[in-house]
Amino acid sequence: MAEIRSANPDLATYLENADVSLWSRVYCQGDMYNIKTSNIAESINSALKRARGFSVQFLLEFIREKLGKWFWKRREDALSLPTQHSRGIEYLLAVQLEIADTMTVQPIDGWRFFVKGGKMDCVVDLEHGKCDCGVYAVEKIPCSHAIAAGTSISLHISTLVCPVYSKDYLFVRILREIYPCVGQQVEERT
């Protein structure tokens, strides 16, 4: 907070007075699953910009068509994935694996390990998906410490990732089709 205060005192004061669970993922009561949700309204407004000024019926058809295209593209992307997880998750795992390769691991018991290296030494609990660095519990994606601990006992990295990041979950979330309203004429603004 001192670093934020030195850069922007007003922002630091605002953050101190605001509910910390609203701006800090560590204190959020729910699971965020590595998804940014800030400015979602602006994103939707931008996507619908071309339909502004038309009738409500045209706007609804425009939204249906846009969602149909998005779902179709994501369904095709999910089907074409060559790995267990999305490309973004696989990239994160590869980066974390490179860092993990530089660490040393000391077993504590069957599921807990003391991992030395990186920015800090940590105790990792693979059974409960936790690490002292806090990243594993928040992201639900193994941090470099967890990967080092897992690979030390020959666990495949993908078994350490929360199932919601799997290709199967991705596909199920976008499985539904969005059908057009057949036989209805949508009038455009002239």
Side-chain angles (χ1 to χ4, degrees):
M1 192 57 88
E3 200 173 315
I4 293 173
R5 182 162 302 288
S6 68
N8 189 333
D10 292 337
L11 175 62
T13 302
Y14 172 80
L15 291 175
E16 287 170 346
N17 293 332
D19 180 1
V20 72
S21 68
L22 297 176
W23 60 268
S24 173
R25 292 184 67 196
V26 173
Y27 293 103
C28 177
Q29 299 299 314
D31 292 327
M32 297 288 283
Y33 297 110
N34 200 26
I35 296 172
K36 265 189 157 174
T37 57
S38 60
N39 296 327
I40 192 70
E42 288 87 350
S43 297
I44 294 296
N45 283 339
S46 176
L48 301 178
K49 188 180 279 185
R50 284 191 23 225
R52 284 192 190 143
F54 289 92
S55 68
V56 172
Q57 186 179 8
F58 179 82
L59 175 65
L60 292 174
E61 177 57 21
F62 185 86
I63 292 169
R64 188 218 48 86
E65 188 176 316
K66 179 76 72 180
L67 289 173
K69 287 178 183 176
W70 288 347
F71 273 58
W72 176 257
K73 177 165 180 5
R74 281 157 182 80
R75 203 173 14 257
E76 292 296 306
D77 287 348
L79 286 172
S80 70
L81 288 173
T83 60
Q84 174 65 24
H85 302 99
S86 71
R87 289 173 188 87
I89 297 300
E90 292 292 337
Y91 175 76
L92 287 173
L93 293 173
V95 169
Q96 297 290 35
L97 180 60
E98 280 188 39
I99 297 167
D101 286 341
T102 66
M103 299 177 168
T104 58
V105 179
Q106 299 171 2
I108 297 172
D109 63 26
W111 289 105
R112 286 183 275 291
F113 303 84
F114 180 65
V115 181
K116 295 173 84 174
K119 292 184 179 178
M120 64 186 285
D121 299 341
C122 295
V123 173
V124 175
D125 182 344
L126 294 178
E127 182 178 23
H128 297 103
K130 294 182 180 174
C131 177
D132 287 346
C133 72
V135 172
Y136 193 11
V138 171
E139 298 285 344
K140 309 293 189 237
I141 301 168
C143 60
S144 53
H145 305 104
I147 291 175
T151 55
S152 75
I153 56 170
S154 301
L155 278 178
H156 194 275
I157 296 172
S158 66
T159 62
L160 302 174
V161 180
C162 183
V164 299
Y165 292 115
S166 74
K167 178 166 118 174
D168 296 335
Y169 271 71
L170 176 63
F171 187 70
V172 166
R173 286 192 301 245
I174 54 175
L175 189 59
R176 296 198 171 253
E177 298 85 8
I178 299 176
Y179 291 97
C181 297
V182 179
Q184 292 184 355
Q185 190 71 359
V186 178
E187 56 185 75
E188 292 187 35
R189 188 180 84 184
T190 55

